[in-house]
Amino acid sequence: MNEKTDQTTKEQRRTSGTRYLKLSRLPTLQEVLDRRTRPPLDLFCFYIFLQRESAEDALDFWLDVQQHENMCKAYFKDIKRSGRSIDEEWPEFADYARTNGSHFSPLLSLSTPPQQPGSPNPAGDFSPRSNQGEFDSPVLGGTTGGRERRDTESHGNAPRSSMLSPAPSSTLNEMGMATGRPQNKDRPSMTPSGKMSLRGKFGGGNVPKTKAPTVIARDRAIEKSALVDGAERIYLRYLLPGAEREIYLPPSLRIHNFPISTPTSASPLIPDLFHAQKVYIFKALEQDAFPRFLRAKAFGNLTPLSSFVRLIAGLVCLWGGFVLAFSLIFLDWKPRLTRLWTILPFLFALNLLLSSYYSLSPLLALLNRSETTPFKHIKVKEPYVRKLLTIRALWIELVCIVITAILVVIFTVVPGHRL
């Protein structure tokens, strides 16, 4: 009996861990963010890639907002377990969710009031309307011919951007949002082509040492004050104008003031406060940084610095090979087959040059290694990536052998002429 219990416990521990995907394709960004992929296409390598481009603040923001929303989900689930309703525990948010909708509505079991003609959609049929600019299209400010369908399972629906945009007046609105004219000027948040961009102000050398935790460790029910504190930390860290790690957003998604909350009453905007910004950052990552990350890690195993070092070393070796070949010709070295020794510098030089051009080292591919930072390696654990790297490494070696053979034959058959 004990043996069966031990086996069951081990099986539960094994299955309760992260279940990696067995892919015959490249992963999606959501799969990477869900930590279901293995190196070199995991979240750790993606974070390091963004650090190299000084754009890791966007990923940090997404992770922090994801943790904030997970805390909100845990809070709503605690209420449900206790047998109480959201109307009893947080009536302001219940009214807000019924009126404006919330992507937490499926967790709340809200009673739907009779809908009057012309009234907003009830909870559960949440179709947000934006009064200021669409953010769900990758090309901002252009005509898209219709909205893209959002992945409601992964991201839910975004709250109305009118709730997140400051009003001209400096009064307090009904939801407790202190509105006022922004003190900072609107900064550009798009590339010249009009597409989403994660780069703009990024360029500093400070590298954050911590990342947002994904598991909420707790021994008691979550309180509304914890949700407010977490939301305030996110606002002060990423969205406050002039913050050290401020992220760039289009004007319609910027939050210039934090919702006012009291110890006894939390603003109903808190749970959905950053969801629209989170969706925008996800789409920006998906269309800007993530494709380059896949090209760099799924089709290559070198960092830009390592590729540059190989380029310099390859040019030096190629120069040495030409010097040796021409020296043997102009010295009319006998026997002529001695010139075959030029195969060594040419082969070595072309390996380095092609490795630099393709950002892929055949030797590292053979050893199932990939660089994370210059000259620091990690084991390639994703079978599909291993297959891609092996095929490309064989292609590089084939091209290298062909070009080397052509050069050696040319410098071998050329008649010698002693100067």
Side-chain angles (χ1 to χ4, degrees):
M1 190 67 168
N2 292 333
E3 293 180 358
K4 290 184 178 180
T5 304
D6 293 340
Q7 291 178 357
T8 304
T9 304
K10 290 180 180 179
E11 182 67 19
Q12 290 175 350
R13 290 177 180 177
R14 184 181 66 83
T15 57
S16 62
T18 302
R19 293 187 178 182
Y20 295 110
L21 298 173
K22 295 181 180 179
L23 299 175
S24 57
R25 55 170 175 79
L26 295 177
T28 63
L29 175 59
Q30 188 60 55
E31 291 168 347
V32 172
L33 294 177
D34 289 342
R35 294 168 174 83
R36 301 180 65 191
T37 56
R38 288 176 284 191
L41 298 183
D42 59 339
L43 184 60
F44 171 73
C45 291
F46 186 42
Y47 192 88
I48 292 179
F49 176 82
L50 292 178
Q51 278 185 333
R52 192 162 65 231
E53 299 195 347
S54 299
E56 72 278 9
D57 286 350
L59 180 57
D60 276 332
F61 172 78
W62 193 95
L63 293 172
D64 283 348
V65 175
Q66 182 66 35
Q67 182 191 8
H68 169 70
E69 293 184 351
N70 287 341
M71 288 185 63
C72 293
K73 290 179 182 178
Y75 169 77
F76 293 132
K77 288 181 179 179
D78 287 341
I79 294 177
K80 192 172 183 180
R81 291 193 196 99
S82 66
R84 295 173 62 85
S85 66
I86 190 65
D87 293 278
E88 298 173 330
E89 201 69 34
W90 198 354
E92 296 86 359
F93 180 76
D95 294 338
Y96 166 78
R98 288 192 185 95
T99 304
N100 302 282
S102 170
H103 70 287
F104 294 107
S105 296
L107 298 174
L108 304 179
S109 301
L110 295 172
S111 57
T112 306
Q115 187 174 1
Q116 300 298 328
S119 62
N121 293 336
D125 184 19
F126 179 35
S127 13
R129 298 173 297 276
S130 175
N131 295 333
Q132 299 192 29
E134 301 294 339
F135 59 86
D136 49 335
S137 171
V139 181
L140 302 178
T143 58
T144 60
R147 289 189 178 183
E148 298 178 3
R149 183 179 62 86
R150 291 191 182 94
D151 185 358
T152 56
E153 180 179 356
S154 301
H155 307 293
N157 293 289
R160 295 166 59 181
S161 62
S162 59
M163 288 293 176
L164 299 177
S165 303
S169 64
S170 59
T171 59
L172 195 66
N173 63 15
E174 294 179 356
M175 293 304 172
M177 174 75 83
T179 58
R181 295 186 181 275
Q183 299 299 320
N184 65 322
K185 296 181 180 179
D186 288 341
R187 303 187 181 101
S189 59
M190 294 183 296
T191 59
S193 62
K195 294 186 177 182
M196 290 181 177
S197 176
L198 297 174
R199 293 170 291 182
K201 75 179 181 70
F202 303 116
N206 296 330
V207 178
K209 300 300 182 182
T210 59
K211 291 188 285 186
T214 57
V215 178
I216 304 173
R218 59 192 181 99
D219 54 359
R220 58 181 179 178
I222 295 177
E223 300 177 355
K224 280 188 290 186
S225 59
L227 304 183
V228 176
D229 293 341
E232 187 175 9
R233 281 193 295 269
I234 293 175
Y235 173 77
L236 295 176
R237 183 178 296 175
Y238 302 105
L239 303 179
L240 179 68
E244 182 180 358
R245 303 183 63 185
E246 180 185 4
I247 60 172
Y248 279 75
L249 296 167
S252 61
L253 294 180
R254 295 176 187 171
I255 304 176
H256 299 287
N257 297 280
F258 188 74
I260 293 179
S261 301
T262 63
T264 57
S265 176
S267 171
L269 292 176
I270 294 298
D272 294 293
L273 185 59
F274 308 114
H275 191 72
Q277 291 77 5
K278 175 191 169 187
V279 172
Y280 176 86
I281 289 297
F282 179 89
K283 289 183 178 293
L285 287 170
E286 188 177 43
Q287 299 177 20
D288 181 23
F290 189 66
R292 288 184 281 109
F293 167 70
L294 291 181
R295 286 195 296 268
K297 306 307 293 184
F299 299 99
N301 55 19
L302 297 176
T303 59
L305 179 59
S306 296
S307 297
F308 181 73
V309 170
R310 282 170 170 78
L311 174 64
I312 300 300
L315 292 175
V316 171
C317 292
L318 187 63
W319 175 80
F322 280 120
V323 168
L324 176 61
F326 281 110
S327 298
L328 294 177
I329 291 175
F330 292 124
L331 290 175
D332 196 16
W333 196 274
K334 302 294 183 180
R336 185 177 292 185
L337 293 179
T338 306
R339 302 181 191 176
L340 292 176
W341 286 104
T342 57
I343 192 175
L344 296 179
F346 283 142
L347 185 63
F348 194 58
L350 289 170
N351 260 296
L352 291 173
L353 291 176
L354 291 175
S355 297
S356 174
Y357 180 77
Y358 290 103
S359 296
L360 192 151
S361 170
L363 180 60
L364 290 180
L366 179 65
L367 298 175
N368 287 330
R369 310 294 292 181
S370 179
E371 282 191 337
T372 53
T373 55
F375 312 110
K376 292 185 179 180
H377 309 112
I378 192 172
K379 186 176 180 180
V380 178
K381 296 182 180 180
E382 190 65 58
Y384 185 69
V385 175
R386 194 182 308 149
K387 178 182 176 181
L388 291 177
L389 294 179
T390 301
I391 293 175
R392 288 174 63 85
L394 292 176
W395 165 254
I396 289 175
E397 286 302 317
L398 178 62
V399 173
C400 179
I401 292 173
V402 171
I403 298 177
T404 301
I406 294 173
L407 291 175
V408 171
V409 169
I410 292 175
F411 283 106
T412 301
V413 301
V414 169
H417 179 74
R418 190 174 185 83
L419 297 178

